[in-house]
Amino acid sequence: MTIHIGAKAGEIAETVLMPGDPYRARWAAQTFLDDAKLVNETRGMLGFTGTWRGHKVTIQGSGMGMPSLSIYANELIRDYGAQTLIRIGSCGAMQPSVALRDIILAMTTSTVSTPSLGIFRELNYAPHADFDLLRKAAEAAARIGVKTHVGGIYSSDTFYDERPDLNDQLTRHGVLGVEMEAAELYTLAARYGRRALAVLTVSDHLVTKEELPAEDREQSFGDMVEVALSAAFG
Ligand code: HPA
């Protein structure tokens, strides 16, 4: 048990999927895992452990934004020994070539700020995904038949953004999409020698202003969970 996670020793798997939304953690556990058991409900940030094709997996909500994800990822890594952490979440597309429902695999992520910024100060550290996870996720996405883009993303601190000029520069420099958690996840994984990846489904589009209808979100989310599980155990 830690300050923010109530699971007992041994109740968290070495492989952890991290959706931002705790209700998505419950949906994914009920839909994809056998014998899913609730292992955390502290602050309503639900976490479940079960098995997928015989492999032990935990699906733990991270909350929104890097400060929240940082708390859960730190405790999962340092106190429970998590080895492979895969964020499954949504993002906003920043390129015309990326469409709603496509998957983005974040090879690297740019950010102006993470809870780790105090370490790097003037250095622009480049957080990156684990290559083996990234390659296996790309293969799984191709098998499932969902259009996939691999490249850089932007981990922002704000959903309601006041810097359209900055977004324009990121689009100009090929950044595929924006979300709010991956940079801290990748930085922590690097710090502790663990594997991390962010698998993101495009829920809205900053260029075309389209949004995924609520009824389509579940299917897209399901594809992402399958890609993440296949990457972890492929
Ligand atoms: N901005 C930041 N985070 C997001 C977005 C967005 O447009 N869409 C999904 N997560």
Side-chain angles (χ1 to χ4, degrees):
M1 196 168 151
T2 59
I3 296 175
H4 303 94
I5 302 177
K8 298 190 198 71
E11 284 187 331
I12 300 285
E14 287 192 354
T15 297
V16 184
L17 269 49
M18 301 186 77
D21 178 352
Y23 294 132
R24 283 277 157 92
R26 181 170 62 195
W27 180 86
Q30 288 171 347
T31 308
F32 287 90
L33 302 190
D34 294 322
D35 306 320
K37 178 184 164 205
L38 179 70
V39 293
N40 182 52
E41 51 183 338
T42 305
R43 290 179 183 241
M45 198 56 74
L46 305 177
F48 297 82
T49 297
T51 59
W52 182 77
R53 299 185 185 167
H55 302 283
K56 189 173 172 184
V57 187
T58 295
I59 306 182
Q60 169 64 54
S62 71
M64 289 179 281
M66 291 184 271
S68 179
L69 174 129
S70 186
I71 290 170
Y72 295 101
N74 260 291
E75 294 180 11
L76 288 166
I77 290 172
R78 301 196 307 187
D79 299 296
Y80 291 99
Q83 300 294 326
T84 298
L85 300 99
I86 304 182
R87 164 163 158 67
I88 44 176
S90 60
C91 71
M94 301 185 85
Q95 297 294 328
S97 57
V98 177
L100 294 184
R101 299 182 196 82
D102 288 359
I103 280 181
I104 293 177
L105 301 175
M107 189 156 67
T108 184
T109 171
S110 304
T111 187
V112 291
S113 162
T114 83
S116 297
L117 194 66
I119 295 176
F120 298 111
R121 303 189 190 174
E122 71 278 26
L123 177 79
N124 294 315
Y125 176 69
H128 61 87
D130 177 85
F131 178 69
D132 189 50
L133 286 177
L134 182 67
R135 183 172 55 80
K136 287 177 178 156
E139 287 166 5
R143 254 195 331 268
I144 292 168
V146 50
K147 178 113 192 277
T148 304
H149 309 262
V150 180
I153 62 159
Y154 168 37
S155 296
S156 173
D157 277 346
T158 50
F159 187 90
Y160 297 105
D161 191 65
E162 296 292 337
R163 287 291 307 276
D165 58 318
L166 183 56
N167 287 341
D168 289 347
Q169 288 299 346
L170 291 166
T171 296
R172 183 175 165 225
H173 288 83
V175 168
L176 297 171
V178 54
E179 53 83 75
M180 300 179 63
E181 291 82 15
E184 177 65 1
L185 180 65
Y186 286 9
T187 303
L188 287 171
R191 190 176 310 155
Y192 292 103
R194 311 300 160 98
R195 310 194 304 161
L197 176 68
V199 180
L200 306 164
T201 186
V202 176
S203 62
D204 56 281
H205 209 298
L206 272 64
V207 181
T208 65
K209 312 292 181 208
E210 299 161 281
E211 286 181 4
L212 200 59
E215 59 270 23
D216 287 11
R217 287 176 191 237
E218 200 159 280
Q219 176 62 42
S220 301
F221 190 75
D223 289 345
M224 232 179 359
V225 177
E226 209 170 322
V227 167
L229 289 167
S230 303
F233 302 113

